[in-house]
Amino acid sequence: MSAPEKQETLQERREFLKAGAVVAGAGLASGVLVFGAAHSRPPEQAATADRRWGMLIDTKQCGDGCNDCVTACNTENGLDGKTGPQDSQWIRKLNIKDLRNGRVHELPMLCQHCEHPPCVDVCPTGASMKRADGIVLVDRHTCIGCRYCMMACPYKARSFVHEPLTEQNPEVPRGKGCVESCTFCVQRVDRDEQPACVEACNAKGHQAMIFGDLMDPESALSKALKSQASTEVRADLGLNTGVRYQGI
Amino acid sequence: MAKLADWLRLVVLAGVAAVLAVPSFQAAAGVGLPKLERGKGEKCVEDTQFMRRNHMELLKHQRDDTMRKGIRTTKHSLKGCVECHAGSQSGSVAAGKDDFCMACHVYTGTRLDCWDCHATKPGKQSFFGTGAAAGQAAASPRNPAHNQGGGQ
Ligand code: SF4
Ligand code: SF4
């Protein structure tokens, strides 16, 4: 197929996707963010600082023992789902107990997509990077696997790939010798879909996660943050995380 | 005496030349150019001669654009190369020495790291991925049912 034809097909698919997003939006309960046509960025346009992607996680809504966000992440990104000390985990469920009163609850922990990311500060090669729209990524082409960033991250959000991998998802290249972490499913975000974890959580009916643009006052995320109290984990570090929590 | 020495030297030189010449004759006769399977598309995104010399530059440029800036044009994307050039037997661009990438890279003795991280086979057609209806997130992203080769 020639290049222009391919472009055309791509365009058609984008249109299809937009239409699909509207239909899906109609079928979903209120409070679920569906960012449709208004947000789309053409493929030839670079991400800009006009947007900053973020997430709000309501731990009160997070289901006891539910692991759907983790499973969805593993499927989307080609992780094997093992949880040993040398296995990759981009999102994991934590159980938290307040020792003073015994209150127990759960929350998903992932890369917080910090505005001032320590992982980027310490990286000697420039592989750890923050994209213009706030998504923190590892450029595996330049990562030398020194793991400084893993030590610097206050949220234990990063993993190192110890063994050779095969059968990767074509959209999510991963390989031995590089550090990796949650990408907010950047491949999905770039085509106006939500991260896999958010989609799975909503599908399950928990609706504990809202994903969206922190810079857009009209986004469901901004509205929720404006109307309800939320916190950053380790707000004392002043990293201005892109992921916020409620109920912790 | 001097004459004899000269004559001897000539013979030796001729012998050496003959010995050196033999392997190159053999090489010319025995090692053919790599045979590449035709891609699935009508024609490549650039002229074939240009691609032979410059594909790595295009890929490197595209990788930085996509990875660091989020530019996702498809013309020079590695995923596009794989979709078009995956071998009809192996379904891969690098599974065996006859597959598209390996054929030349084995011939020229140049190692490539791309496939340590990147998929060598076309995968799910991302645009329909998990879909907003979501439960399907559980369906394998590498489900062969989604494998539509280069027919994008
Ligand atoms: S949470 Fe950790 S890995 Fe993510 S941006 Fe912050 S420091 Fe970097
Ligand atoms: S492991 Fe890679 S990304 Fe992390 S600090 Fe070292 S070079 Fe940078």
Side-chain angles (χ1 to χ4, degrees):
Chain A
M1 185 181 282
S2 69
E5 258 179 82
K6 207 165 193 170
Q7 286 289 7
E8 215 165 79
T9 320
L10 184 73
Q11 192 55 39
E12 277 164 22
R13 291 201 171 153
R14 290 186 72 84
E15 298 300 335
F16 176 87
L17 194 77
K18 283 176 200 167
V22 174
V23 173
L28 290 169
S30 63
V32 178
L33 174 81
V34 175
F35 45 106
H39 279 273
S40 57
R41 171 167 61 84
E44 66 280 1
Q45 195 178 305
T48 65
D50 296 343
R51 270 182 215 165
R52 184 181 173 207
W53 297 113
M55 193 183 275
L56 176 62
I57 299 174
D58 186 350
T59 62
K60 300 187 297 302
Q61 306 264 72
C62 182
D64 279 352
C66 174
N67 219 28
D68 280 17
C69 53
V70 179
T71 312
C73 175
N74 293 343
T75 308
E76 171 69 23
N77 296 300
L79 311 183
D80 62 13
K82 293 189 195 144
T83 56
Q86 298 199 336
D87 295 317
S88 279
Q89 288 179 273
W90 292 11
I91 181 169
R92 61 209 148 90
K93 283 291 293 283
L94 299 183
N95 293 312
I96 293 177
K97 186 173 184 181
D98 188 333
L99 293 175
R100 289 164 300 185
N101 52 30
R103 180 174 177 260
V104 183
H105 67 300
E106 300 182 8
L107 60 84
M109 177 53 68
L110 63 161
C111 169
Q112 306 285 294
H113 296 275
C114 311
E115 185 190 5
H116 309 293
C119 56
V120 175
D121 286 347
V122 301
C123 178
T125 65
S128 275
M129 50 154 281
K130 184 166 62 109
R131 215 171 74 159
D133 56 3
I135 302 183
V136 176
L137 299 167
V138 177
D139 184 348
R140 290 174 176 79
H141 304 109
T142 33
C143 174
I144 54 170
C146 69
R147 288 165 263 184
Y148 282 2
C149 54
M150 286 177 73
M151 304 309 259
C153 172
Y155 305 98
K156 216 177 164 185
R158 293 201 156 181
S159 308
F160 179 75
V161 180
H162 290 259
E163 301 291 341
L165 299 176
T166 54
E167 304 288 313
Q168 291 92 334
N169 174 349
E171 287 191 309
V172 188
R174 310 170 52 222
K176 179 181 160 187
C178 292
V179 164
E180 56 184 22
S181 55
C182 158
T183 65
F184 267 165
C185 287
V186 66
Q187 70 282 2
R188 294 167 60 95
V189 171
D190 280 352
R191 54 172 193 259
D192 294 334
E193 285 177 34
Q194 310 193 39
C197 55
V198 178
E199 198 177 273
C201 185
N202 289 338
K204 188 71 174 247
H206 291 305
Q207 296 173 13
M209 303 164 127
I210 302 176
F211 177 81
D213 181 3
L214 291 164
M215 309 282 268
D216 174 8
E218 294 306 312
S219 72
L221 176 63
S222 298
K223 285 180 179 164
L225 286 170
K226 192 176 173 187
S227 58
Q228 303 154 35
S230 65
T231 45
E232 294 174 42
V233 175
R234 292 298 309 268
D236 57 314
L237 296 172
L239 305 176
N240 188 12
T241 57
V243 180
R244 314 285 168 93
Y245 290 85
Q246 287 175 304
I248 55 172
Chain B
M1 269 322 253
K3 268 231 167 96
L4 183 63
D6 272 355
W7 185 79
L8 266 177
R9 200 190 291 156
L10 202 67
V11 169
V12 170
L13 275 177
V16 167
V19 168
L20 285 177
V22 169
S24 64
F25 271 125
Q26 276 177 351
V31 181
L33 288 168
K35 282 198 184 59
L36 299 180
E37 196 176 317
R38 231 190 112 77
K40 294 182 187 74
E42 264 165 42
K43 65 183 182 63
C44 191
V45 294
E46 303 288 349
D47 179 63
T48 303
Q49 288 301 331
F50 179 83
M51 285 307 271
R52 261 181 210 151
R53 291 187 180 276
N54 298 298
H55 63 282
M56 66 298 273
E57 301 299 336
L58 297 179
L59 288 171
K60 202 169 163 193
H61 184 74
Q62 176 83 20
R63 105 185 176 191
D64 290 341
D65 274 0
T66 301
M67 166 67 228
R68 307 196 79 97
K69 299 186 194 148
I71 294 170
R72 289 186 182 269
T73 49
T74 49
K75 189 175 178 194
H76 294 151
S77 100
L78 184 64
K79 212 168 128 232
C81 303
V82 172
E83 276 164 12
C84 205
H85 287 293
S88 54
Q89 297 300 311
S90 64
S92 161
V93 290
K97 64 178 175 34
D98 295 327
D99 286 328
F100 191 78
C101 298
M102 299 322 289
C104 288
H105 276 268
V106 167
Y107 180 79
T108 55
T110 44
R111 214 194 104 185
L112 72 178
D113 295 332
C114 309
W115 314 120
D116 289 359
C117 288
H118 286 278
T120 61
K121 299 176 180 179
K124 76 174 172 184
Q125 293 301 300
S126 52
F127 294 92
F128 299 94
T130 51
Q136 287 75 354
S140 163
R142 293 182 293 276
N143 184 342
H146 294 286
N147 257 335
Q148 290 162 12
Q152 210 192 82

